[in-house]
Amino acid sequence: MASEITYGHTGPVLKLEDVAIAYKVRGGEIEAVQNVSFEINRGESHGIVGESGCGKSTVAWAIVNFLGANGYVKRGSVKFLGQELVGKRGEDLRRLRGDQIAMVYQDPMQALNPSMRLGDQLKEVLTVHRGLSNAEAEKRAIEMLERVYMPDAANVMKRFPHQISGGQQQRVVIAMALLNNPALLIMDEPTTALDVTVEAAVLDLIAELRREFDTAIMYITHNLGVVARVCTKVGVMYAGEMVERGTVEQIFKHPQHPYTQGLMRCVPKLGADKASSMLYPIRGRVPPPNSRPIGCIFGPRCDYARERCRLERPQPRIMSNGVEVRCHFAEEIDPAQWQPHEDIELPTVHEVAPGEPLLKIEHLKKYYEVSGTTLKDLLGLTPKRYVKAVEDATFTVRQGRTLGVVGESGCGKSTLIKTIIGLENSTDGKAEFMGFDITGDISSRDLAVIKELQMVFQNPDSTMNPSYTVGQQIARPMLRFKTVPKKQVRQEVIKLLQAMRLGENYMDRLPRQLSGGEKQRVGIARALASHPNLVLCDEPVSALDVSVQAAILNLLLDLQSKLGTTMVFIAHDLSVVRFFSDDVAVMYLGQIMEIGPADAIYAPPYHPYTEALLSAVPIPDPTAEQKHIRLEGSVPSALDPPSGCRFHTRCPRRHLAPEEGAVCATQIPPWQEIGNGHKIFCHIPQEILRTFEPVISIKEKDESHVS
Amino acid sequence: MLVKDIMTRHPIMAASDTPVTEVQSIMSQNGIRHLPVVGDGKRLQGLITRQRLALKADELGSLNVWEITRHISQLRAGQIMLKRAQVITVTPNRTVERAAALLTDYKISGLPVVEEEIVVGIITETDLLRAFQIMLGLPMSGVRVTVRMPNRKGEFNKLSSVIAQNGWGVTGMGSFPTPRNPGKYDLVLKIPDVSVDEVQEALSSIPDQTIVDIRAAV
């Protein structure tokens, strides 16, 4: 086995020792982060993972002293390239930030000035920090844009931020961060807001740039799959402490801290389904900084907690394999022996035999009319133009089953759901629910139909009335649809809350007094209050932490098996969809590309688009090997979708279709029946589709040296 | 192998207004012997080496104890550094041997690597010695063999065809005129995944070439 070869000096770029960060608040101060130590070497990317509120971003801000007026580093030292940053003068820090440290945040729009051309913003970095001439700066900026694979770089320089897509904006931000060749790049959830396909391309870029520029990267994320793909080392943070730190392989293969083990059990493995595996949420929640326990900080949620854990705060210890763990009993814990704690209620899932078709959609279309702004348009002299948001959706959902819908953003997933529930009327096609026609919008529907069709939204904040109590919100549909006699409403609400594991005392709380996970539970309770037959879930878990996500998914599964509710489930996380759904539909630009039983979708034969999506999903397992398929360009405009097969402009497999793919541009592809309800919308013959190799394979540890 | 491949990127640097006391602690704490002084966005202004930190007796001779303290505490990096014009530098695209030649010619131990006056790295004796180890395949296990051959065309071809016939690879290589033996060349090879005996047997059959040294553990 070859030992690691290093060139140049590899000492740490950033070194944190026993750092505690405090915020001054009324009546004292709060230590948001305690005793965090880690170091990042040149050319290394160090992941920081943990649930929200664990202090990940606080650490990142402390490094550059962005803590705000009331925050400060209370103890410890932050060394950057050998120099102490704590206590540095503002002017020195400003120079360091410009020259040597760069940051990329979650929302690229916030890092870009919307009123300046991108070129001017990029050039500014060089003219201000390096004093380059304008022409020279322009040349460098274009070069850097080309380095981050920006198509048509010179032209992009002249555009404004809103004129390029989200993925491109993030590339511009990364390019801007790298212009000064920084020694340290801090990335705080840089791909969370992006689509999987775009995310995959950005992650590839980050990995490549790290190797080329030898930049140390501090990568903050909550997504374990992303960490497994881009990081070499990872630190797990919990409630302001670093509880475990090691290389990615060690942490993923042998997580030793109970919290890390818990996190791993919360995420569905890609390929796992609800019948064969289970998600185990971590019970309880992250304690707020001012009421942390005296003993082990994870003690109250830990399944292995003993007397010693309650009394004594464990110190980080280096284990035999070099992993740093903050646990008294790390050696004794064997995750294989783990049994779920009795407090965790696990859903009982049993395979539901497909019942009667409940929802029948045939050739459903939804077009939005776009009005032009020219005089001709206003006078109605030009032909009308339409955004074809949903084009020809055909599927059936049977009683008690779950249909998952996946696709990139802008592919029409949400429009499809909105049309079904009646927030939009459909343009053409047939839609039948329990025998009723539901092509019109909600005003034309019978109350009985509305009652049976309910929806859970992605963002519970924006869908709940902030001035209504939880009890009122849940009671409203019951009163409206008269499902429950007035006198029993209170009882029924309590029953529902208990089913959501929230308890009676939540009745009188307002939405702002709830955490994100609790709000989503209330949202689900409200959707279920009228005992609907069909629940439409639009990304119900995307905004939640993994442990909360696991709890919500379990809850939905449990309710489904108890009440026999049918669901349509939208999510962009393909492993969640695989886990949760019986059937899956893959959408692209308003067109369903592939539909069938979940296990059939995730194995060959694939539609080329499904194949590309699967190869882009970050998998929380560093030993998994994915085929490298990246789609070029971005999703074409729905205003003027490509002719023939809508995917032909980006299809990596087009040459396999008849006539070298010429038909793809001219003819609409046929639906190919693969069997068992699995259908693929593609010109490429089935026989060829079947020969595709699986996208994901788990490689055995084998690193033989090849010269 | 070029300078950019083996240099240390993102070197530790100081500004010209950094107090000399801090310069000293940065250098000793990080175990470095060269500290580029930069300003204006990483533009090279000078270089501080360990020698620059040595006390200059002639400057301090006329001062009393208290004045010395004040003098030292007021010294800034910019005052003691070797000024830009005197600093010998290298660009990232020079070869490593040329960089090594600069070190030996000027009897110095390190070079800031600059690209259009901006410091992009530093290359020191340590980096060059590490490159030397890697070139000869030290980090990888395998058989290290030294073959002596006459200095004429076609000799290396004989050797390489034997290696190719056996399907071996080479992880490190070096060649040099044999010391005190004009007309001969020595070639050091590192061959992985073979035994000493296999190599011995295969290479000793080459006419005009001799194995002068062979070992598995380096």
Side-chain angles (χ1 to χ4, degrees), chain A residues 3 6-9 42 79 81-83 95 99-100 129-130 140 180-183 212-214 707, chain B residues 1 5-6 8-10 12-13 15 22 26 29-30 40-43 116 118 127 130 134 139-140 170:
Chain A
S3 57
T6 51
Y7 295 94
H9 186 67
R42 284 180 177 77
K79 280 207 173 121
L81 283 177
Q83 299 184 43
R95 192 163 53 203
D99 287 354
Q100 307 255 39
H129 284 293
R130 283 206 181 169
R140 292 279 182 89
N180 246 338
N181 188 16
E212 193 176 315
F213 292 93
D214 246 352
S707 173
Chain B
M1 217 178 224
D5 299 320
I6 64 158
T8 299
R9 285 162 196 260
H10 312 296
I12 297 175
M13 299 183 284
E22 199 182 320
I26 290 172
Q29 275 177 23
N30 294 289
D40 241 0
K42 294 191 264 186
R43 256 166 232 282
E116 289 167 32
I118 286 165
D127 297 320
R130 198 180 287 121
I134 294 167
M140 278 78 69
V170 171

Side-chain angles (χ1 to χ4, degrees), chain A residues 229 270 614-619 624-628 695-697:
Chain A
R229 183 176 285 173
L270 190 74
L614 284 172
S615 86
V617 204
I619 304 175
E625 211 165 79
Q626 279 169 294
K627 265 201 280 182
H628 191 90
V695 173
I696 296 148
S697 53

Side-chain angles (χ1 to χ4, degrees), chain B residues 26-45:
Chain B
I26 290 172
M27 291 180 77
S28 61
Q29 275 177 23
N30 294 289
I32 55 170
R33 293 167 298 161
H34 307 87
L35 185 71
V37 178
V38 293
D40 241 0
K42 294 191 264 186
R43 256 166 232 282
L44 186 65
Q45 295 182 333

Side-chain angles (χ1 to χ4, degrees), chain A residues 59-67 85 93 97 101 103 105 186:
Chain A
V59 171
W61 290 331
I63 292 165
V64 287
N65 197 13
F66 269 169
L67 289 169
L85 292 190
L93 273 176
R97 283 202 289 262
I101 305 179
M103 284 144 282
Y105 292 119
I186 298 174

